[in-house]
Amino acid sequence: MKRANISKLDETSLWFGWAQTCRTIFAIMSSAKLAAFRLGGVLSTLKNVQGRPSYHTYSPEPALPIKGKEPKWTTAEEAFDILKSCDTVFAQGAAATPVHLLTAMTEKGKCAQLRDIKVFHMHTEGKAPYTADDCADIFRSFSFFMGGNVRKAVADGRGDCIPIFLHEIPKLFKTKMIVPDIALIHVSPPDNHGYCSLGTSVDCARSALIVSKTIIAQVNPRMPRTFGDALIHQSHFDYAVKVDSRLPEHGGQPLTETDKKIGSLIAENLVENGATLQMGIGNIPDAVLASLCNHKDLGIHSEMFAGGVVDLVEQGCVTNHLKPQHKGRTVGSFLNGTQKLYDFVDNNPSVEMLRVEYVNNTKIISQQPKMTAINSAIEVDLTGQVNADSIGTRMYSGFGGQVDFIRGAAEGIDGRGKPIIALPSSTKRGESKITPILKPGAGVVTSRAHVHYIVTEYGIAYLFGKSLRQRAHALINIAHPDHRETLEKAAFERLKVMPSP
């Protein structure tokens, strides 16, 4: 009865009051939680500050100085007093390989009779002494991309390789699948503000050092000071070791007639004015670059680039003017080249060295105008499968960024990207690099569905949208003439039909 006598206005007021009470209670609870969270954060920070020196006291961001923290300047031998059995070590690679530190690490492991130390790295330079026979029980190398200095260890079972796309390597650190106890890096000396540069290799090194427990830096005045994502404040280093040594050099070798022919075919037929280029290191990329001196408004967006880019910049052929991002700037992630290249990038704000998960992101690659990706291969079968990481079952290199850029170019939003695989038609022994089938055990890096252009010194095969017999016909036509008849017979045996256009 009483309920029936309550007016609608009173009922509304009652519900409004109840809602207000609920909001008040919720606000009190939220404030309490926030206060507890803030208190926990403060206590955690105080704990880090008062405990072992750590650059995680506030933020792992390399460009953020850590107030009150300085590296301990010492010798490489003393820096590795912290090394212990079962540690995980990350080493920077390519031209930035910290050779001096790796040598000291190896000696420490041997002298202290340590065991089961894992060393993760991309392609490294130098002798890699930690992969020697007498280090088999001390160190084990894990390569994200193999160089010649670790191939024997992998072949003999004393080392490992990890098949992975280059842009996904940082994910191993971000998800903490790999958490280095020690990161070994190679940097330029600190400037007036305490900032160093990762120099020639940002790639996955930045992601690795962010999660590493201890950082040992090899500080070298010959390391180029580069920009972009390369900057790191010295307060992030736990130990710093001074060296003064030249960086390893590659390239600058005389081009063969085969190299020149392949370079000319690509430059004259596949690279347009205004194209954005990606290419690796070696004679074929050098030959392509040498043939582009009459092109205009070229751009560079590449995981790495070679010395030929320097000449094109100086000639005004590379302007980076048409790129939607990083306009006017050459973008790379790591370098391996000549001293001329290192001098060019040193303190040069027109060059940005960026994280490989960004540079090799297919969505970013696809936005570059007329993206032209030029990559090499060990062999290609008659259906277009590309092997680029092994010789039969013997591992040779790795996936690298080939698939990243081949796919990114194919997905170009302007519809004018060109994914290119370039290789000589024959090996130095005279064996055909275009084969009926890949060698038993050989890996497929770029699938036949990814392939568009295959180039040898005998021409260009366009495979996109072609049937297997059409592909076989196109590839046989760019094989060395001495092998074409054999390839044609093999194609018939495999396809049960003669290759035809």
Side-chain angles (χ1 to χ4, degrees), residues 14-15 47 58 65 82 85 126 157 162 201 359 362 394 398 419 466:
L14 241 135
W15 280 111
K47 181 180 178 181
Y58 175 68
I82 62 171
S85 294
I162 301 174
S201 289
V359 175
T362 54
R394 187 181 178 94
K466 301 293 180 67

Side-chain angles (χ1 to χ4, degrees), residues 104-139:
M105 177 192 74
T106 304
E107 290 304 312
K108 176 65 177 181
K110 292 163 71 173
C111 292
Q113 299 183 337
L114 302 179
R115 290 290 182 269
D116 301 324
I117 298 169
K118 298 177 181 178
V119 184
F120 290 88
H121 55 85
M122 284 177 46
H123 162 90
T124 58
E125 295 291 332
K127 295 181 180 180
Y130 51 91
T131 65
D133 290 343
D134 60 351
C135 291
D137 296 324
I138 306 172
F139 299 100

Side-chain angles (χ1 to χ4, degrees), residues 165 167-168 301 325 356-368 371 401-413 450:
F165 298 125
H167 80 273
E168 288 193 321
H301 182 99
Q325 307 99 3
V356 77
E357 62 267 41
Y358 173 84
V359 175
N360 283 45
N361 186 317
T362 54
K363 293 179 181 178
I364 300 298
I365 296 167
S366 68
Q367 296 174 38
Q368 309 308 313
M371 186 69 220
Q402 180 171 127
V403 180
D404 298 340
F405 276 93
I406 289 292
R407 195 64 206 145
E411 293 181 354
I413 59 176
H450 283 94

Side-chain angles (χ1 to χ4, degrees), residues 344-386:
F344 172 73
V345 302
D346 183 34
N347 213 32
N348 186 345
S350 74
V351 177
E352 291 186 327
M353 301 297 291
L354 304 177
R355 298 165 293 125
V356 77
E357 62 267 41
Y358 173 84
V359 175
N360 283 45
N361 186 317
T362 54
K363 293 179 181 178
I364 300 298
I365 296 167
S366 68
Q367 296 174 38
Q368 309 308 313
K370 304 175 186 176
M371 186 69 220
T372 305
I374 305 167
N375 290 273
S376 60
I378 294 174
E379 60 180 340
V380 179
D381 79 2
L382 287 176
T383 69
Q385 294 186 115
V386 176

Side-chain angles (χ1 to χ4, degrees), residues 74-96:
T74 184
T75 64
E77 292 72 24
E78 290 180 354
F80 281 101
D81 285 344
I82 62 171
L83 186 66
K84 58 187 184 298
S85 294
C86 301
D87 268 354
T88 296
V89 177
F90 169 80
Q92 195 176 1

